[in-house]
Amino acid sequence: GNGKETGLWQYCYKNGRLKSEGSMINGSENGVWVAYTLDGNIAEAALYINGSILYHRKIIEATYPKE
């Protein structure tokens, strides 16, 4: 490969719960990315193509812990 991130990427809070997830292609966000609150609710969703954001929707107000 070219050494750039490709595939499903997931980021977690320090407690192990899912923080966000989405697809990367050649190091750029592609498709739908979802961010979650610390208690597991969907906080935001965004649509990317080649790293450019096309659409963003805040679902609920959320505060994210400092990490």
Side-chain angles (χ1 to χ4, degrees):
N2 60 10
K4 294 187 178 179
E5 299 93 343
T6 296
L8 176 66
W9 279 75
Q10 295 180 319
Y11 298 92
C12 295
Y13 290 105
K14 287 182 180 180
N15 69 0
R17 284 189 161 241
L18 191 59
K19 183 175 185 178
S20 64
E21 65 181 341
S23 289
M24 300 282 278
I25 298 176
N26 293 323
S28 296
E29 297 93 342
N30 275 280
V32 175
W33 276 75
V34 179
Y36 300 90
T37 62
L38 191 57
D39 60 359
N41 293 309
I42 295 175
E44 302 176 44
L47 176 62
Y48 290 86
I49 293 185
N50 296 325
S52 296
I53 192 165
L54 298 181
Y55 178 80
H56 175 261
R57 173 76 180 201
K58 185 174 280 193
I59 309 299
I60 60 174
E61 287 297 321
T63 57
Y64 301 98
K66 301 272 188 230
E67 297 195 284

